[in-house]
Amino acid sequence: MKILVINAGSSSLKYQLYNMTDETVLASGRVERIGMDSSIVTHEPADKPEVRHVSEILDHTTAVKRVIDMLTDAEHGVLHNMNEIDAVGHRIVHGGETFKDSVVVNQEVKLEIKRLFDLAPLHNPAHMMGINAVEANLPNVPQVVVFDTAFHQTMPRTSYLYPIPTVLYNRHKVRRYGFHGTSHKYVSSQASAFLGQPLEQLKMVSCHIGNGASCTAILDGKSFDTSMGMTPLEGLMMGTRSGDLDPAIVPYVMNKEELTLNEVNSMLNKHSGMLAVSGLSSDMREVEQAMNEGDSRAKLAFDMYVYRLRKYIGAYAAGMNGIDVLLFTAGVGENSSTLRRAVCEGLTFLGIELDEERNSVRSKETRYISADSSKVKVLVVPTNEELLIARDTYELVQRKQNS
Ligand code: AMP
């Protein structure tokens, strides 16, 4: 079975084509600047050179058509024709309280995703354009939606409710949802397989540290608590997002700086975090480099980032009454040995002991970075959200065909 995984944004669309027989990626790529002039399609077949095309792509339906053209192109393609695409899996940011798992798309599912537009106004409408674009181009191909929030639907009320008037939850579903669920689910099951221990027997803290960042407490194999909240703004300090702050800052700053709601929202989401504190960049590589060259603001940004992450790990260890596994994933978590060392150095009280040599090794494989004597096993686990989307799609489509 060949499965196309799509992550549709408002002006971009990323794709990967999987052969599920051996879970290999046959091709991947992206369409950028949809709806603007000179849209760019970058197509990377597994065994052939990358190609780039610049042309006008006015909407998502045309974008998907271009992707199919690329996949079936005589020179750069990997398929004979589009009938070889057996199913399509979509990444959807927000599934609200409705979607506790991945589902096959039908009219009802589409309506529900639409009802959730308010909760993810930047993402869900774009995903819907992706679903409709696939429907227009591949009308008979089953589609599956995989939600970033679904894994966290197991959180108990003590984790997901905010201590604010209950009417806001009842009327508007104001609560914590959490994100990066597909990644946390994938890496926790990889870690369990790597350790040869069932997930149900492990208390895990999973740190997905990329440009966006979140930390999840996993108990009995289920999300027990997570740092992102109703939106991805809550929790850890991130590349450009503030993470946790006193909510009273919002009206105060709006008043003092005469900012609108949109402006303050944009300030906290796009102009805060590592970028704001370092005054330099949201990219950890640049911040680390500047820190190593003696830049004091970069050092402060790095130290705050580490401190805030360490506090969450400690809080989750307390929340679960223990921790067996600490794992790092995503761009920063997988690549920055400096960050991992700094975080773990302050967690010796939990029984975390890093092995410096293991921590320095660069690899694309799941690996230990803790010492043999460490009470808590510390792992680096490369994430692969697309693969999990492909797996869920495969499983659901097979189940549907067999029923
Ligand atoms: P992601 O959102 O998972 O793609 O992660 C992107 C982030 O990973 C970027 O902001 C980079 O700062 C960070 N990153 C990638 N490689 C490295 C590295 N070698 N050292 C530190 N940070 C890195």
Side-chain angles (χ1 to χ4, degrees):
M1 190 183 273
K2 297 201 175 74
I3 289 177
L4 181 63
V5 173
I6 286 187
N7 183 353
S10 55
S11 64
S12 71
L13 189 145
K14 292 187 204 136
Y15 63 94
Q16 284 199 329
L17 182 72
Y18 278 91
N19 179 355
M20 294 313 286
T21 316
D22 51 5
E23 295 190 335
T24 48
V25 176
L26 299 172
S28 58
R30 57 193 180 276
V31 186
E32 292 160 288
R33 299 175 57 85
I34 300 171
M36 301 173 218
D37 47 327
S38 48
S39 317
I40 308 160
V41 182
T42 311
H43 175 69
E44 299 171 47
D47 302 323
K48 299 175 195 173
E50 177 185 304
V51 267
R52 237 167 98 92
H53 276 302
V54 178
S55 63
E56 191 178 61
I57 298 180
L58 288 178
D59 55 29
H60 285 65
T61 303
T62 316
V64 169
K65 167 130 193 14
R66 282 299 150 77
V67 171
I68 296 169
D69 289 346
M70 278 300 192
L71 292 171
T72 53
D73 184 80
E75 197 181 337
H76 310 291
V78 292
L79 300 174
H80 298 296
N81 62 60
M82 66 186 201
N83 296 334
E84 284 183 63
I85 302 173
D86 296 295
V88 177
H90 294 265
R91 174 201 177 215
I92 310 284
V93 163
H94 220 305
E97 286 188 328
T98 320
F99 297 108
K100 301 186 191 317
D101 234 319
S102 308
V103 287
V104 177
V105 174
N106 58 25
Q107 264 328 96
E108 207 181 310
V109 167
K110 279 173 67 175
L111 272 177
E112 191 53 37
I113 296 174
K114 232 179 189 165
R115 270 188 224 116
L116 296 168
F117 277 7
D118 270 357
L119 285 174
L122 298 179
H123 293 100
N124 276 22
H127 301 323
M128 185 59 88
M129 288 196 271
I131 295 170
N132 288 333
V134 170
E135 211 170 85
N137 283 283
L138 301 164
N140 299 317
V141 172
Q143 301 192 64
V144 167
V145 276
V146 180
F147 301 90
D148 272 10
T149 49
F151 181 59
H152 302 300
Q153 278 298 301
T154 51
M155 284 195 289
R157 278 198 297 186
T158 39
S159 298
Y160 75 68
L161 286 179
Y162 289 111
I164 54 174
T166 313
V167 68
L168 296 173
Y169 172 62
N170 293 338
R171 269 195 211 147
H172 308 294
K173 293 286 168 228
V174 176
R175 53 158 283 179
R176 310 185 64 254
Y177 291 95
F179 298 87
H180 293 146
T182 312
S183 175
H184 289 298
K185 182 177 173 187
Y186 176 80
V187 292
S188 56
S189 74
Q190 289 290 108
S192 144
F194 176 80
L195 295 169
Q197 278 179 279
L199 261 177
E200 294 69 28
Q201 285 173 16
L202 296 167
K203 292 175 179 177
M204 267 193 207
V205 176
S206 160
C207 304
H208 176 112
I209 315 289
N211 195 26
S214 71
C215 192
T216 296
I218 301 166
L219 187 63
D220 293 330
K222 298 182 196 129
S223 174
F224 171 75
D225 202 352
T226 193
S227 59
M228 283 179 170
M230 169 144 160
T231 77
L233 184 57
E234 190 180 337
L236 301 171
M237 173 169 158
M238 307 176 213
T240 63
R241 296 191 194 117
S242 64
D244 295 337
L245 45 77
D246 180 347
I249 291 172
V250 173
Y252 185 83
V253 168
M254 284 177 77
N255 184 30
K256 289 284 182 193
E257 293 282 319
E258 296 180 10
L259 298 182
T260 63
L261 274 174
N262 275 344
E263 284 167 342
V264 80
N265 202 20
S266 155
M267 178 191 88
L268 296 173
N269 275 291
K270 297 189 183 143
H271 307 283
S272 295
M274 186 84 88
L275 173 66
V277 182
S278 71
L280 197 78
S281 170
S282 61
D283 191 308
M284 183 60 94
R285 283 165 291 202
E286 289 175 33
V287 171
E288 278 186 24
Q289 194 186 337
M291 176 173 78
N292 293 336
E293 287 163 3
D295 186 306
S296 60
R297 288 180 70 186
K299 166 110 178 76
L300 176 63
F302 182 87
D303 288 349
M304 281 173 65
Y305 191 97
V306 167
Y307 179 60
R308 285 176 164 240
L309 174 55
R310 201 190 290 147
K311 282 205 292 186
Y312 262 99
I313 298 168
Y316 287 164
M320 294 189 290
N321 191 19
I323 169 172
D324 302 310
V325 181
L326 172 65
L327 66 86
F328 291 96
T329 191
V332 179
E334 289 169 34
N335 296 302
S336 175
S337 54
T338 314
L339 174 114
R340 295 191 302 255
R341 185 189 314 115
V343 170
C344 292
E345 259 169 13
L347 293 172
T348 48
F349 79 102
L350 286 175
I352 289 177
E353 258 183 86
L354 216 60
D355 181 297
E356 195 44 57
E357 216 175 297
R358 290 177 184 166
N359 185 42
S360 312
V361 172
R362 286 192 153 265
S363 155
K364 290 263 165 248
E365 302 293 320
T366 298
R367 62 196 184 276
Y368 276 115
I369 55 168
S370 48
D372 291 337
S373 52
S374 182
K375 229 177 78 193
V376 177
K377 298 190 168 62
V378 188
L379 306 178
V380 174
V381 186
T383 194
N384 195 340
E385 290 157 280
E386 293 79 13
L387 178 58
L388 197 132
I389 295 172
R391 282 180 184 166
D392 274 12
T393 305
Y394 178 70
E395 205 183 300
L396 283 172
V397 169
Q398 278 221 318
R399 213 184 293 165
K400 195 173 166 232
Q401 283 170 353
N402 294 336
S403 66

